[in-house]
Amino acid sequence: TGAILKPLQPAFHSRRTSANNDFSGDGTQYTVPFDGTETFDQNADFDGTTFTAPVSGIYLLCYSMQLSGITSSHTNGRVELKTSNRDYRQNRVDPWSVATSDNWCLQGSVIADMDASDTAYVTLIIGGGSKVVDFGVDGTAAYTYFSGCLLA
């Protein structure tokens, strides 16, 4: 058929299976945990929060996360996909358009150049409010995951 299988080709997908409550809304930067269940991790390069590139190359990295508790009292926020080479600001959270206790689903992806031993992870910052924000509210893979693979 022409199909080629490479069982050690870097590829991972990890999802939350429970809520991670009480991220502070005070502007603190958090590394987002995606450590519930690894759907797959072909080369054991993902540790629950951080992917470490085993070889230099071009990688596709994707994330999705569900948040709740963002209110109009929060004044700013953002999600970044960070790699050793550069940071990718993916989402700016606009709390003024959110009603209290609404759920948000933030998603992003990037094709990133990574060298061997470079790392990639996702951070979350919500600021301007005292109310806490909850991450991975329903704990389903449909909303809260981090994945990646070597493209070239």
Side-chain angles (χ1 to χ4, degrees):
T1 67
I4 298 171
L5 296 176
K6 296 182 179 182
L8 296 181
Q9 182 81 1
F12 72 96
H13 183 277
S14 187
R15 58 189 168 89
R16 291 293 302 170
T17 53
S18 63
N20 189 350
N21 296 327
D22 302 334
F23 282 84
S24 172
D26 66 359
T28 300
Q29 179 173 301
Y30 292 95
T31 298
V32 178
F34 294 97
D35 56 351
T37 298
E38 283 187 352
T39 308
F40 55 87
D41 186 359
Q42 288 192 167
N43 199 40
D45 303 311
F46 184 71
D47 71 4
T49 58
T50 304
F51 168 71
T52 303
V55 297
S56 296
I58 306 300
Y59 289 82
L60 171 63
L61 302 168
C62 307
Y63 71 85
S64 177
M65 70 179 83
Q66 186 180 27
L67 304 175
S68 74
I70 299 174
T71 69
S72 59
S73 69
H74 295 104
T75 58
N76 59 71
R78 74 174 176 268
V79 178
E80 291 185 8
L81 201 159
K82 294 179 170 276
T83 69
S84 298
N85 291 334
R86 67 191 48 83
D87 297 344
Y88 301 91
R89 290 192 175 169
Q90 298 282 310
N91 287 294
R92 181 182 175 280
V93 178
D94 183 4
W96 302 281
S97 65
V98 180
T100 302
S101 75
D102 273 357
N103 291 334
W104 271 40
C105 189
L106 302 174
Q107 299 172 324
S109 62
V110 67
I111 296 176
D113 62 312
M114 297 181 75
D115 301 317
S117 299
D118 280 358
T119 58
Y121 56 97
V122 178
T123 63
L124 170 66
I125 299 171
I126 302 293
S130 59
K131 185 173 182 340
V132 296
V133 174
D134 297 330
F135 166 77
V137 178
D138 67 2
T140 68
Y143 299 116
T144 307
Y145 61 84
F146 186 29
S147 62
C149 66
L150 175 65
L151 294 177

